[in-house]
Amino acid sequence: EAKARGPNHHVLFTPQMQQKVSERAKVEGELREAIETDQIKPFYQPLIDLRTGDVCGFEALARWVRTDGSKVPPAFFIPVAEEKGLITSLFQRVLHRACCDAMQWHKGILLSFNVSPVQMEDRLLPARIFEILGKTGLSPDRLEIEITENALVADPDLAAKMMEELHAAGIKVALDDFGTGYSSLSQLARFKFDKIKIDKSFVGRCGSDDRQAKIIQAMLGLSRNLNAKTTVEGLEDHQQVAYFIQQGCDIGQGYVFGRPASAEDTLEYLAQRRRVLATA
Ligand code: C2E
Ligand code: MG
Ligand code: MG
Ligand code: MG
């Protein structure tokens, strides 16, 4: 770019800019290594059937713990992976691991896995998923893919085609963070979702703020009319749980039911719930 502007044009490159560039490069290298050495692992947060109180699945959430023990949040490393072309290898490693973990849960428990909008431009995505299912033995009907509205914007035709391929194989597709993305409601007519996840930003004050409540009711109604199940994320207290049960929401997720936990802790959590059921 500097050249194109002619030899007398000086591009200002401040020490801060230099620092940012080298920080990014360092993070890229670190992230690449973290992916290759499996420092990034899926944690699991329970999805609770609000009618029965049973666990019906887990959402896999990627966790990066550096060798020195420090944690890097996904809100930081997922965008870096997207930008640096590392998202596919990250996805494949973490999904493979998650499918192996899910094979140890009892049948009928769903694994819900996030797919980044960038991946919806990769026409090989369904084939990559089928390959991992084949290798790990997880039945396709136990896998759910979560995509956000933003995933439908870049290439809606391709997104629709891939969703059809996933559906034909028995994989479910959920719309994540509903109501917070760039896509319009008209997109909902075109894409068939098995589940709609109400973003946690709608949950606060749901019992006391009338306008908020009206919006939640409209989302639940829309989801119901489209024959999708509804999950609400970010439930933090029992009042919120009671509110969404009363509104007829199908599934709940949030700290009130459990924080994302390691594979080992998740197995223990399932075993403990079984013991409770056995003695009830
Ligand atoms: P998301 O898919 O909407 O996941 C839900 C986020 O809400 C998670 O944050 C979860 O830890 C958090 N959460 C759950 N319950 C509560 C609650 O009661 N209160 C509050 N305040 N938060 C709650 P997390 O794990 O930090 O992940 C952030 C985002 O990063 C995810 O949002 C998802 O978009 C992305 N992400 C995480 N793992 C992956 C991955 O493996 N692949 C891709 N592409 N994206 C991922
Ligand atoms: Mg999600
Ligand atoms: Mg979400
Ligand atoms: Mg969210």
Side-chain angles (χ1 to χ4, degrees):
E1 201 202 357
K3 237 185 197 164
R5 289 191 199 170
N8 294 326
H9 185 90
H10 295 277
V11 174
L12 285 177
F13 205 60
T14 65
Q16 285 112 303
M17 282 166 75
Q18 178 61 56
Q19 200 191 342
K20 269 215 168 134
V21 167
S22 58
E23 259 172 35
R24 289 238 140 203
K26 195 175 149 234
V27 170
E28 181 186 353
E30 252 191 285
L31 180 58
R32 196 181 293 275
E33 192 185 324
I35 294 167
E36 280 162 10
T37 58
D38 291 325
Q39 283 173 52
I40 300 177
K41 295 190 174 80
F43 270 42
Y44 304 98
Q45 186 177 33
L47 305 169
I48 305 295
D49 183 325
L50 291 179
R51 259 169 266 280
T52 62
D54 291 339
V55 185
C56 54
F58 290 93
E59 177 174 2
L61 293 158
R63 290 291 179 265
W64 178 6
V65 182
R66 286 209 188 89
T67 40
D68 67 4
S70 61
K71 292 174 187 160
V72 190
F76 176 75
F77 68 78
I78 297 287
V80 177
E82 288 173 344
E83 188 185 320
K84 303 295 180 187
L86 297 170
I87 194 70
T88 294
S89 58
L90 174 66
F91 171 78
Q92 286 173 310
R93 299 294 279 240
V94 179
L95 178 62
H96 186 278
R97 174 75 179 250
C99 289
C100 291
D101 290 338
M103 287 294 284
Q104 305 212 48
W105 309 338
H106 34 281
K107 297 215 170 52
I109 295 205
L110 204 72
L111 169 67
S112 206
F113 203 95
N114 293 286
V115 165
S116 131
V118 174
Q119 295 180 266
M120 293 304 281
E121 293 168 67
D122 170 16
R123 56 185 67 254
L124 292 177
L125 178 70
R128 297 186 202 282
I129 295 172
F130 302 154
E131 191 189 346
I132 292 168
L133 289 173
K135 274 188 188 156
T136 59
L138 190 77
S139 169
D141 59 10
R142 289 186 59 194
L143 181 66
E144 178 175 80
I145 290 303
E146 298 192 7
I147 63 176
T148 63
E149 292 155 284
N150 302 341
L152 309 173
V153 177
D155 191 341
D157 291 335
L158 180 60
K161 190 173 159 281
M162 293 200 295
M163 278 176 67
E164 264 166 43
E165 275 178 62
L166 295 172
H167 272 144
I171 296 167
K172 292 175 197 53
V173 184
L175 178 58
D176 202 359
D177 303 343
F178 179 52
T180 64
Y182 299 126
S183 148
S184 71
L185 279 177
S186 67
Q187 297 279 39
L188 276 184
R190 166 144 199 229
F191 297 94
K192 264 203 221 103
F193 291 100
D194 302 278
K195 198 181 276 173
I196 289 176
K197 298 188 77 172
I198 297 179
D199 190 70
K200 55 180 171 289
S201 59
F202 293 97
V203 172
R205 309 189 322 274
C206 59
S208 54
D209 181 332
D210 200 41
R211 294 179 68 83
Q212 188 92 318
K214 289 263 161 40
I215 291 176
I216 290 165
Q217 284 158 20
M219 289 168 111
L220 286 164
L222 182 64
S223 185
R224 210 172 287 132
N225 290 335
L226 292 169
N227 292 318
K229 287 202 165 196
T230 316
T231 300
V232 57
E233 54 177 36
L235 294 176
E236 293 185 354
D237 64 48
H238 290 287
Q239 240 170 310
Q240 293 166 349
V241 175
Y243 178 80
F244 280 92
I245 290 177
Q246 185 220 324
Q247 294 297 325
C249 183
D250 302 293
I251 297 157
Q253 176 179 6
Y255 295 163
V256 70
F257 297 122
R259 297 200 174 232
S262 69
E264 302 77 58
D265 289 349
T266 297
L267 277 183
E268 179 51 34
Y269 170 89
L270 284 171
Q272 208 171 318
R273 287 186 73 105
R274 285 193 146 181
R275 282 197 292 274
V276 170
L277 283 178
T279 55

